[in-house]
Amino acid sequence: MILKKREREDFNNRIFHWPDIQTFREEAATKQIFYETSHTVGAVWCMRPGQTLPIHSHENADDIWIIIEGTADFYPECGEMVPIKAGDVIVARAGEKHGMTNNSDEDFVMIGIAGPTPIGFIPHNHE
């Protein structure tokens, strides 16, 4: 079989390079959406030390986090914490709580894929 070679630029809506997408802000964790369809949404999350993604859930959507850089405290339930690190994949099924805080001295980066869309956002408190 002979394959036709194509350029990456021909697929800029299908091939993404996360370092080009990441954005940090000093005031809050940053979510940079890099694609969205009627089924799923993908985002790069960037967190400076001390920044938090509040504990929340999605009524009908699964949320998958792929940790790229750093460490953080993951909240699988209100009042619970599990350390996570680069290389981990976190799965929160519809209705399952999830959130995190970057309590390290280093930046934290993860890719999140969620669906079906719209994913919604139900906030929860640790209390």
Side-chain angles (χ1 to χ4, degrees), residues 19-37:
D20 297 338
I21 302 167
Q22 70 179 357
T23 303
F24 288 90
R25 293 182 316 168
E26 298 307 317
E27 60 275 9
T30 305
K31 176 184 178 182
Q32 193 72 23
I33 295 175
F34 60 93
Y35 90 94
E36 187 167 3
T37 70

Side-chain angles (χ1 to χ4, degrees), residues 10-126:
D10 294 340
F11 297 94
N12 62 4
N13 67 342
R14 293 181 61 192
I15 299 173
F16 305 94
H17 189 65
W18 70 263
D20 297 338
I21 302 167
Q22 70 179 357
T23 303
F24 288 90
R25 293 182 316 168
E26 298 307 317
E27 60 275 9
T30 305
K31 176 184 178 182
Q32 193 72 23
I33 295 175
F34 60 93
Y35 90 94
E36 187 167 3
T37 70
S38 59
H39 302 285
T40 59
V41 61
V44 175
W45 279 92
C46 299
M47 301 169 69
R48 297 275 191 216
Q51 293 180 338
T52 295
L53 173 52
I55 192 166
H56 64 283
S57 62
H58 309 285
E59 185 176 357
N60 297 311
D62 295 344
D63 202 351
I64 301 166
W65 294 348
I66 303 160
I67 313 309
I68 303 298
E69 285 184 7
T71 62
D73 294 338
F74 170 65
Y75 309 127
E77 187 58 59
C78 295
E80 298 179 357
M81 185 276 292
V82 176
I84 59 174
K85 62 184 178 193
D88 288 344
V89 177
I90 313 300
V91 177
R93 292 163 186 84
E96 292 181 334
K97 295 176 181 86
H98 52 292
M100 74 177 75
T101 299
N102 179 356
N103 282 324
S104 76
D105 296 332
E106 304 291 327
D107 288 341
F108 178 89
V109 179
M110 73 170 184
I111 295 173
I113 308 292
T117 58
I119 64 171
F121 185 91
I122 303 167
H124 302 280
N125 292 320
H126 277 291

